[in-house]
Amino acid sequence: MEKIFKNMSLFSASIVLIILIGIFVTLFISSKQAMEEFGLSFVANPAWQTEVALNPKEAKNVVVDEYSLFPDEEPTKTIYGGLVPIVGTILSTLIALAFALPIAMGIAVFLAEIAPKNISHVVGIAIELLAAIPSIIFGMWGLFYFAPIIQKIVGGYQVSLLTAGLVLGIMILPFMAAITRDSMKTTPDILKESAYALGATKFEVIKDVIFPYSKVGIIGSIILALGRALGETMAVAFLIGSVFELPKAINSPTISIPVALANNFGEATGLGASSLFYLAFLLFLISFIVISIAKFYFLKKVKK
Amino acid sequence: MKKVLLFTALALSTTFATAADIKGSGASFPYSVYQSWIKAYHSATQTQVDYVKKGSSSGIKDIKARAVDFAGSDAPLNPNQLEKAKLYQFPAVVGAVVISYNLPNAKDLKVSREALAQIALGNVKYWDNELIKKTNPGVNLPHEKLTFVHRADGSGTTFNFTYYLSKISKDWRKNFGAKKSLNWPGDHHIGGKTNTGVAALVKQTPYSIGYIDYADAKNNDLHMAVVENKEGKYIKPELKAFQAAAAKADLDPKKDFFSVIADPAGENAYPIVAATFILLPKEKAQTNKEVTAFYNYSFKNSAKLATELGFVPLPDSLTDKIRKYWSEKGVM
């Protein structure tokens, strides 16, 4: 019995690892064609799906299809580059984080320490419900109601990096607030009471006792929110503008990796599909690196 | 009310899977027509047809993998491609792409071929550009930045629109060609997801202009531009102009109807029209007969349903050719 139980739990634990490796290998194999074609310069190339003329040697080998729509057209090849969606993903995530972090901390402090119990209960439930709203609803609400307001305030386009980032911020807010609140609540009462007994004010207790004590939980909540923001697709697809162009300002449209994948995957073939897999592979790496840094560097630092 | 409708349309865009007698998937452009034809056919024959809109390329992938009984595609496959994938092909209905715009107090804006190409190329930056002014004397065109709205997701609508652009502009053809998705030029354009997304963006962005299918433009009360056709005439986007265009369409059964019909000749023809196609797997004789029976019934009895939705039923001369093609291939 003991042995079966041990083996079963070992099996469950290893499934995660196997799936992770499986995804990595699949992405790598599918993106191989694009990797060989473009190499690492893919990451720095801002042109997505651009036609360039073939060099004479390549052009010789092209067989012209008798049914070509434009028979007199010179043969071209298509170049793909990933810089725009990579920059878009990172910037929209940063905007979301910059917006959500202070608000989430404020909510958590309010719920854990300041609010009377019944109010804390109601607001707490509201926060958890916010987390349960599907992202498509955030996308539609953002497009029809939030985007026009943003445009009125800051100008520029309705769908932009800023609109997408702010809605993304609202979406990750409940995760950060709820986890932070829960970890703040684990601060032992005896610590807080000792601080009060020494004459500390409420602000000082929050700043010097509760925050240091719950640091691990707060960083954990940021990591979780970051993971969600990096990969969010549906809401961002409606709000970011979906153009393969580096944003000139915070209120101009651009695109993120998940949106590029969702928009183009259905109609992509050959090198185009492989380039999308390359993008997916890069997103995988970005998320992996960001979360690893947070996990190993910050958490270790805090635990010391 | 309109917004509520948009909401539900978005929410329902993934259809429920039901136990169907015939299963199809693909192009979203003709989805509303197929849906009403399916309803009519079901109440007449009790046969359940299921069509999922996924986009033309997904439909082609599905039918190549034999995951469905038929597929819809807005971009036709050429006879070589059909031969390789062992497929039959025939057109089902004709629709139109319109140029919708958001410009207060400007009804029936006239857009020349040159202007349209330059707008798509990103060279027309302001509304008071000479190219637009020239064809619209008396219309108050402000010095406001023009925003071009296009589809962000890959789509047959984009394929047909860019095919048309390739026809009217050498510049466009050289640099972009006809594609289902592309990296649009210029620095004052935004992408909307699906036709619903494009409609919402045009509606909410003052001084914008974009291409969208006729049905969605009509349902959203968008202004639609009057477009110059091959003969230099300015044609209002309306059913009889689409019909005039469809009548000129050259669809040859010997080439499995392979042809893109945009920019047809004819004085009264609206230029940006598109036929949408059905693909059948050659070896599935029995289900093919069921699919053609459905389309045969719809050609004969449900033409009016298509007209109501802003689509053009195929002219009789063409449906006769299609029936002949079916019986030659033994799928009728």
Side-chain angles (χ1 to χ4, degrees):
Chain A
M1 198 62 208
E2 194 81 352
K3 214 170 179 188
I4 295 173
F5 185 70
K6 196 180 151 195
N7 285 338
M8 263 171 65
S9 61
L10 179 72
F11 174 71
S12 319
S14 42
I15 276 184
V16 178
L17 208 65
I18 292 167
I19 291 175
L20 202 68
I21 294 169
I23 294 175
F24 186 84
V25 170
T26 314
L27 288 179
F28 186 77
I29 291 173
S30 306
S31 57
K32 222 170 162 207
Q33 192 192 352
M35 283 178 181
E36 277 163 7
E37 184 79 29
F38 307 120
L40 268 181
S41 67
F42 182 83
V43 180
N45 184 1
W48 177 262
Q49 203 174 356
T50 308
E51 303 284 322
V52 294
L54 292 172
N55 62 44
K57 205 176 136 204
E58 284 173 311
K60 242 189 227 161
N61 298 326
V62 174
V63 187
V64 178
D65 193 331
E66 59 183 306
Y67 292 107
S68 169
L69 287 171
F70 309 111
D72 56 332
E73 193 177 64
E74 285 165 38
T76 56
K77 66 176 178 182
T78 316
I79 296 287
Y80 294 87
L83 181 67
V84 177
I86 291 169
V87 170
T89 308
I90 292 169
L91 287 182
S92 61
T93 304
L94 286 180
I95 291 171
L97 212 59
F99 172 71
L101 192 61
I103 298 178
M105 292 305 127
I107 293 173
V109 168
F110 177 76
L111 290 180
E113 293 303 317
I114 296 168
K117 218 169 193 163
N118 45 357
I119 293 181
S120 158
H121 191 64
V122 172
V123 177
I125 289 174
I127 287 288
E128 275 149 23
L129 282 179
L130 197 61
I133 297 175
S135 55
I136 175 82
I137 292 175
F138 276 107
M140 293 190 308
W141 167 77
L143 178 61
F144 290 123
Y145 296 99
F146 192 65
I149 297 172
I150 290 292
Q151 190 196 29
K152 243 175 226 150
I153 298 170
V154 295
Y157 291 107
Q158 290 196 344
V159 285
S160 66
L161 194 57
L162 181 66
T163 317
L166 289 182
V167 172
L168 208 50
I170 296 170
M171 291 173 69
I172 61 174
L173 218 160
F175 293 92
M176 287 164 76
I179 298 172
T180 305
R181 174 200 60 188
D182 289 345
S183 61
M184 280 178 173
K185 275 195 172 156
T186 59
T187 315
D189 284 340
I190 196 148
L191 273 183
K192 289 192 272 181
E193 278 154 18
S194 325
Y196 282 125
L198 288 171
T201 61
K202 194 155 210 170
F203 176 71
E204 282 164 342
V205 170
I206 291 168
K207 181 170 71 95
D208 295 327
V209 178
I210 296 174
F211 261 106
Y213 191 86
S214 49
K215 241 183 195 167
V216 177
I218 294 171
I219 291 175
S221 79
I222 296 172
I223 295 170
L224 207 70
L226 210 61
R228 180 165 168 137
L230 280 171
E232 174 52 40
T233 311
M234 213 52 202
V236 181
F238 279 93
L239 299 171
I240 202 163
S242 303
V243 296
F244 282 95
E245 226 172 86
L246 288 171
K248 286 192 197 68
I250 198 166
N251 56 8
S252 54
T254 183
I255 199 165
S256 75
I257 298 177
V259 176
L261 296 178
N263 280 346
N264 296 301
F265 205 72
E267 304 281 351
T269 47
L271 190 58
S274 182
S275 300
L276 288 174
F277 272 111
Y278 198 173
L279 273 183
F281 182 75
L282 290 172
L283 180 63
F284 192 89
L285 282 186
I286 293 170
S287 316
F288 206 77
I289 291 167
V290 167
I291 288 168
S292 304
I293 289 173
K295 200 112 202 138
F296 292 111
Y297 183 72
F298 286 112
L299 283 186
K300 220 178 222 169
K301 218 173 175 186
V302 168
K303 273 182 187 152
K304 267 179 195 167
Chain B
M1 194 57 211
K2 276 271 151 51
K3 275 183 183 157
V4 175
L5 279 176
L6 275 179
F7 264 74
T8 33
L10 276 171
L12 291 176
S13 60
T14 43
T15 33
F16 297 105
T18 45
D21 300 318
I22 317 169
K23 271 195 297 191
S25 72
S28 53
F29 184 59
Y31 179 74
S32 54
V33 182
Y34 293 172
Q35 221 40 37
S36 72
W37 281 357
I38 284 167
K39 238 193 219 159
Y41 191 58
H42 183 251
S43 54
T45 64
Q46 298 306 310
T47 312
Q48 185 77 48
V49 183
D50 188 22
Y51 183 82
V52 184
K53 57 168 177 182
K54 287 182 170 180
S56 299
S57 296
S58 299
I60 293 171
K61 274 180 202 159
D62 281 354
I63 194 79
K64 279 187 177 163
R66 301 299 193 256
V68 287
D69 301 319
F70 70 100
S73 173
D74 294 333
L77 296 183
N78 71 37
N80 291 341
Q81 293 168 319
L82 291 169
E83 187 60 42
K84 217 175 128 202
K86 299 194 171 54
L87 297 171
Y88 296 128
Q89 173 174 268
F90 64 90
V93 73
V94 169
V97 179
V98 300
I99 308 301
S100 58
Y101 61 94
N102 182 340
L103 192 61
N105 307 322
K107 262 201 152 178
D108 295 336
L109 188 81
K110 281 184 182 160
V111 179
S112 65
R113 293 159 86 81
E114 178 65 14
L116 193 52
Q118 295 305 324
I119 288 170
L121 283 164
N123 296 334
V124 173
K125 293 197 170 23
Y126 291 91
W127 274 99
D128 56 352
N129 188 293
E130 267 315 306
L131 283 171
I132 306 178
K133 255 181 157 173
K134 208 164 58 185
T135 52
N136 294 285
V139 178
N140 176 29
L141 292 165
H143 185 71
E144 290 281 354
K145 217 166 175 191
L146 177 146
T147 305
F148 181 68
V149 185
H150 54 80
R151 282 285 289 271
D153 45 342
S155 118
T157 312
T158 300
F159 171 81
N160 281 296
F161 182 63
T162 51
Y163 175 84
Y164 170 72
L165 289 175
S166 307
K167 279 272 186 179
I168 64 173
S169 158
K170 277 230 164 70
D171 236 13
W172 181 273
R173 187 157 127 194
K174 211 172 143 235
N175 293 307
F176 302 98
K179 289 215 178 68
K180 288 178 194 154
S181 74
L182 70 150
N183 185 12
W184 289 85
D187 61 352
H188 45 277
H189 60 109
I190 44 177
K193 195 165 161 56
T194 73
N195 277 319
T196 317
V198 173
L201 283 179
V202 171
K203 208 167 184 179
Q204 290 174 202
T205 313
Y207 310 110
S208 63
I209 187 164
Y211 65 92
I212 184 171
D213 69 296
Y214 176 70
D216 274 288
K218 214 171 89 180
N219 290 338
N220 285 291
D221 290 325
L222 298 174
H223 284 308
M224 294 178 235
V226 178
V227 184
E228 183 186 11
N229 72 5
K230 206 174 192 171
E231 324 277 344
K233 296 273 188 305
Y234 284 85
I235 307 294
K236 229 177 154 168
E238 54 195 2
L239 211 61
K240 65 170 200 257
F242 306 155
Q243 270 159 345
K248 295 276 174 193
D250 174 34
L251 292 153
D252 183 0
K254 282 201 198 79
K255 290 195 280 178
D256 300 284
F257 302 99
F258 172 72
S259 171
V260 186
I261 65 168
D263 204 27
E267 289 233 321
N268 304 315
Y270 181 79
I272 322 172
V273 284
T276 181
F277 296 84
I278 296 296
L279 299 164
L280 295 175
K282 281 187 178 172
E283 75 285 354
K284 284 193 191 171
Q286 191 46 45
T287 53
N288 282 349
K289 279 178 190 161
E290 285 169 34
V291 175
T292 55
F294 162 58
Y295 279 99
N296 196 22
Y297 177 89
S298 304
F299 289 159
K300 243 190 259 166
N301 305 303
S302 309
K304 202 168 155 273
L305 292 176
T307 331
E308 279 164 10
L309 291 164
F311 286 80
V312 183
L314 302 179
D316 288 341
S317 57
L318 183 55
T319 53
D320 286 343
K321 277 187 205 163
I322 294 171
R323 288 193 189 96
K324 209 171 143 226
Y325 175 83
W326 286 342
S327 59
E328 270 169 20
K329 309 282 182 196
V331 294
M332 189 181 169

